[in-house]
Amino acid sequence: MGDTLQIVGISAAAALAVGGGMISLALKEPAVQKVLSRWLLVTSLILFTPVLIALHFHAQGMESAAALLKGAEQVAVIQDVASTRFAKAICLLVLAYLVALLSFCSWLRDVKRDTEKK
C-alpha cells in the first residue's frame, strides 16, 4: 500500500507541476506553449505506448500463471497482476490528463487571442 501511495503522490505532483507550467506558458508565451505541448504529447505517446503494451501482456501472462499455481505463490502472482493493472491505469490517466491539459491550454490561448483583438 505504501508503494501505491508514493506512485499516486509522485504522479499528482508531476501533473500539477506540468499543468501549472503549461497554463502559465499559455498565458505568457502562447507560441512556445503550443510547440512544447506538441512535443510533450508526442513524447508521451512514444514512451507510453510500448509500456502499456508490455504491461497488458505481462498482466495476461501472470493471470495464466496464477491459474496454474496454488497457495502463497498464487496470491503473490495475483498481487503482481493487481500492481501491473494499477501501473497501467496510472499511465492511461497521465495520457488522458495530458490530452485534457493541452485542450484546455489551446482553449486558453484562443480566449487570450480573442480578448487581445478586442
Side-chain angles (χ1 to χ4, degrees):
M1 183 67 174
D3 292 339
T4 302
L5 291 177
Q6 287 177 346
I7 291 171
V8 170
I10 291 169
S11 299
L16 290 174
V18 169
M22 283 294 183
I23 291 170
S24 175
L25 271 176
L27 292 172
K28 293 179 183 174
E29 298 291 335
V32 173
Q33 190 274 328
K34 187 176 182 179
V35 172
L36 183 62
S37 64
R38 286 182 185 158
W39 277 102
L40 184 63
L41 185 60
V42 169
T43 303
S44 298
L45 287 172
I46 289 170
L47 292 176
F48 280 129
T49 300
V51 170
L52 287 170
I53 292 169
L55 289 173
H56 173 76
F57 286 112
H58 175 72
Q60 279 189 333
M62 294 304 281
E63 284 177 338
S64 299
L68 302 173
L69 299 172
K70 294 186 190 231
E73 293 87 7
Q74 186 180 32
V75 172
V77 170
I78 290 171
Q79 288 174 346
D80 183 50
V81 169
S83 297
T84 303
R85 287 193 175 142
F86 181 74
K88 184 178 172 183
I90 291 291
C91 289
L92 291 172
L93 281 173
V94 167
L95 284 174
Y97 173 77
L98 285 174
V99 169
L101 177 65
L102 300 180
S103 296
F104 176 74
C105 287
S106 176
W107 172 79
L108 199 58
R109 283 192 317 265
D110 292 343
V111 168
K112 182 180 178 192
R113 183 187 66 228
D114 291 345
T115 56
E116 288 175 351
K117 285 182 180 178
K118 291 181 181 182

